[in-house]
Amino acid sequence: MCIKTSLLLLLSLLFCAAVSEGTQDFAVNVNNDGTYNVVVKGDVWLKSAPTFFRADGQVFSSADLSLKLVKITQSSGVDVIGQWEANSFLYQAGSSQIEASFVQYTPDPSIFTYNNPAVPFILFKQRYINGANNTASNKTDFTISGFPGFLIQDSSIPLGYLSYGGSQGGSIGLNVGQWGPSSFEIDDGIEGGPLTLFDRVKTANTLIISPASRFMSSSIWRQRSSTGGDNVYWGTMGGVEDVPVGVETSFILFCGNQGINKASVSWGQILQRWHGRTDQYMKSDFTINYLGYWTDNGAYYYYRTEKGKNHQDTMLDIKSYMGQIGVPVRYIQYDAWWYYWDNDHGVVTWSAQPKIFPNGMQWLYNKTQYPVVAHSMYWSSNTTYATANGGKYEFVIDGPKALPLEERFWTDLLADARKWGLFVYEQDYLRNEFEGINKLLTDIDLGRQWLTQMGNGAAKNGLTIQYCMSFPRHLLQSLEIPVVTQSRVSHDNRPNTDNWKIGVSSIFALSLGVVPYKDNFWTTSVQPGNRYNLSEPHTSLNAVVATLSTGPVGISDMIGGTNKTLIMKSVNADGLILKPSRPATAIDNRIRRMAWSDFEGPDGEVWSTYSDFGGKNKYGIILAADLQGSYNMTPCMAGYQGFPSSMVFPAKDSNKIQPLTDPQPLTMSGCTMTDFCLFYVSPVLTVNGKQVLIQGELDKWVPMSPQRVTDINIADDITINLTGAAHETVSFWFNVDGKSSPVTCTLGAAGLATLSFTAGTCRGV
Ligand SMILES: *[C@@H]1O[C@H](CO)[C@@H](O)[C@H](O)[C@H]1NC(C)=O
Ligand SMILES: *[C@@H]1O[C@H](CO)[C@@H](O)[C@H](O)[C@H]1NC(C)=O
Ligand SMILES: *[C@@H]1O[C@H](CO)[C@@H](O)[C@H](O)[C@H]1NC(C)=O
Ligand SMILES: *[C@@H]1O[C@H](CO)[C@@H](O)[C@H](O)[C@H]1NC(C)=O
Ligand SMILES: *[C@@H]1O[C@H](CO)[C@@H](O)[C@H](O)[C@H]1NC(C)=O
Ligand SMILES: *[C@@H]1O[C@H](CO)[C@@H](O)[C@H](O)[C@H]1NC(C)=O
Ligand SMILES: *[C@@H]1O[C@H](CO)[C@@H](O)[C@H](O)[C@H]1NC(C)=O
């Protein structure tokens, strides 16, 4: 069969989203010559670029017909995501047969747990039927295949883009701008990540394109053409030298009509279902739930000890200091200074240097009783674990670096580390390991093997993993590795930097079911003798951001420099973090304002989150900081669609309540970094003819946290169950007809209490 045989005039994969206003929400039109376009709400957003595959040392492209279309077939079926229908184009690329399929899915509605509609999406699948040889491109940042691919042209309506890229979970090379040949700039290739396109209409229509499998070896490539006519492609990364028989790689194109945040969460939920990722490890990770003490970059004791003392004694002094002032730190992190490293700082042996911890890790754990988060880097070519150096495990050695090849290595290493209290293995410098071992760039499977072996080793030992300095591909790979529970999403915390600006990068982590980590922070501004010669003017902002992130809350003060009042706003008396139900993220209009300077969105950080107690019990939190001028925000813009009728009040004045509705938006102004704006949103209740707002524990950043409030019962009375430390005192506020007052609770020996609003009493258990 050949292309000239006209099979079908138009293979139309048209489909509609659940919500309909008469116009088609989203369609991908496929023609019988293999070209296609993407239509959103009747407008053509994207037109296909020529499909290409590299094989036998050449490029075969549909542009010059060197890529031969052999036949088109149709198929359908059902899988873990839902029903699908595929149109497959079989191509001949030199000696390779490769199938490019458009697979239309109707996803199972149970995938979407945030009340998001189950909208259809499309998968672009590349299948190497007999494999391909000599595929490598001359640049690892290119791709060896291009399907899907789109022309970078001005579209009929203005489109913006958000692209994750670079280190720290794609935050360092995060780009937001306008789609079009002169303005579309992304960190692509090895550093590249998911691409999001959105429009300017009220609730942004949003298109997300990313790999859906083989995350470590799939890339996005912004192709530049000297003849004009640039393209953006998705395919296998450019360094891959051959593709084994039967390899399948897929890319998802998801379209949502409820804004950028919601589309991203739905996209992530599909990928999580696909790869069987569950949040059980994230939910139970001790270090995500409790206050910690950190010694990484930005910390007072990063490569530094107290005067005249060693690291061991400094760590013991931290423990006793926290005890003295009654700050419930529950674990400790040891950074890159504790183990044996080599000239390139690669790890030689992952155990304590005697000059650092003379009595050893086990002794130290026994003394501090602190569970440990321990840092690790790439492995040195001199690592004592490698058979090449007399060790027991196979490694690839490449220049100064080495890469373990056996799962056994991780299992044994981490089993040993458990004995000294390891809870979380922190794998730092993921990008350097990836770029430093050439085989990771040329082999289609090795990257995935490396990270899954590490994950399996951790899982077997009941440990979890934090990724640091990861590219988006590492974070995407964690879809298959649920013990990866946390990831850094901004550059290292140096005092007085914008490391706290994680509102956009948190959306990516959140969507994959990984908690974002903002890094350590100081709780007092001036800490004399620090190695950075800096002070931190924004201690409160850092504390609130860490708490609202739902990730680790890690302080890093000098001994004598912890502000107990400040840190206790984040946690209960046991050190349990009182957090919202999901990470705070930048509102859609913030992102759109980053793309278009004339857009109505805020010129600065405006983030939202909420605590969800089921049903109508939804409590919002809005943070605005470093905001120029003022901004009016409706509940819809905050992502509070479906919330009950609510009122809003500033954290600083709980009497200052006002309605929050679309016609009565919240006006925010004067929101700086030192004096940021924090607002709480509570449903309006009526009890005995009075208007009542449950305002909660107002001396915490999150006054209504599921970690504190376990039950809310609203009838003639409001009864609320609280939990916390044994005998802890909780001051819990209500606003009645505009006036706020507290009910004071003392929890019982079991750390429980039930509060009655009408009686104004609280009974501890
Ligand atoms: C790739 O190379 C191998 C080994 O030389 C050969 O057996 C195989 O047929 C080649 N595959 C293709 C698609 O050319
Ligand atoms: C690298 O490959 C691209 C396309 O694959 C080609 O256009 C370019 O000329 C090549 N560059 C070199 C230096 O070979
Ligand atoms: C490994 O050890 C050798 C011999 O001591 C040394 O010359 C080399 O620099 C070390 N490699 C690294 C990466 O430090
Ligand atoms: C841990 O501490 C206990 C009690 O102080 C002691 O008996 C035990 O030997 C210690 N273990 C280690 C490994 O230091
Ligand atoms: C520390 O900073 C201050 C002011 O920023 C400067 O005057 C001083 O020289 C710095 N000290 C060192 C050791 O760099
Ligand atoms: C400690 O934090 C509290 C609460 O943010 C603040 O009011 C107080 O000024 C801080 N104290 C110091 C010494 O920084
Ligand atoms: C709330 O507390 C009351 C009284 O202690 C208890 O009977 C009830 O089961 C609790 N509700 C929940 C959901 O825990």
Side-chain angles (χ1 to χ4, degrees), residues 6 156 281 313 372 380 420 476 484 492 515 534 542 584 694 763:
S6 85
S156 55
Y281 296 99
D313 290 336
V372 174
S380 166
W420 45 260
L476 285 163
V484 176
D492 285 2
V515 296
L534 289 171
N542 275 282
I694 303 174
R763 201 165 45 81

Side-chain angles (χ1 to χ4, degrees), residues 606 621-624 630-635 637-638 640 648-650 656 658-669 677-681:
V606 176
I621 304 178
I622 296 153
L623 174 70
S630 73
Y631 179 61
N632 294 336
M633 189 175 67
T634 64
M637 290 176 194
Y640 295 159
V648 61
F649 57 93
K656 219 172 139 191
Q658 64 174 89
L660 179 65
T661 64
D662 285 344
Q664 295 159 291
L666 169 66
T667 299
M668 292 175 272
S669 64
C677 302
L678 185 62
F679 295 94
Y680 301 127
V681 178

Side-chain angles (χ1 to χ4, degrees), residues 410-486:
W410 295 106
T411 311
D412 295 352
L413 182 83
L414 297 175
D416 186 57
R418 274 188 60 160
K419 296 181 192 139
W420 45 260
L422 188 71
F423 272 44
V424 177
Y425 176 74
E426 180 193 341
Q427 183 62 65
D428 198 358
Y429 284 80
L430 281 158
R431 66 164 295 173
N432 307 68
E433 180 93 312
F434 187 63
E435 291 175 306
I437 303 283
N438 191 51
K439 200 158 193 287
L440 283 171
L441 301 173
T442 59
D443 186 299
I444 199 169
D445 290 316
L446 188 60
R448 178 175 181 274
Q449 175 188 307
W450 161 44
L451 297 178
T452 46
Q453 287 180 350
M454 183 196 299
N456 290 342
K460 277 187 205 153
N461 286 294
L463 304 178
T464 57
I465 297 175
Q466 179 182 108
Y467 279 177
C468 190
M469 293 176 72
S470 63
F471 282 148
R473 68 187 58 235
H474 298 99
L475 209 51
L476 285 163
Q477 185 59 54
S478 72
L479 284 161
E480 291 187 295
I481 313 172
V483 293
V484 176
T485 54
Q486 39 184 304

Side-chain angles (χ1 to χ4, degrees), residues 13-31:
L13 306 188
L14 293 168
F15 36 89
C16 283
V19 184
S20 102
E21 298 155 14
T23 14
Q24 191 100 46
D25 270 342
F26 170 50
V28 175
N29 300 318
V30 183
N31 303 309

Side-chain angles (χ1 to χ4, degrees), residues 710-711 720-721 752-754 763 765:
T710 55
D711 193 22
I720 293 175
N721 288 13
L752 300 171
T754 299
R763 201 165 45 81
V765 186

Side-chain angles (χ1 to χ4, degrees), residues 95-96 130-131 133:
S95 50
S96 296
N130 64 337
N133 293 325

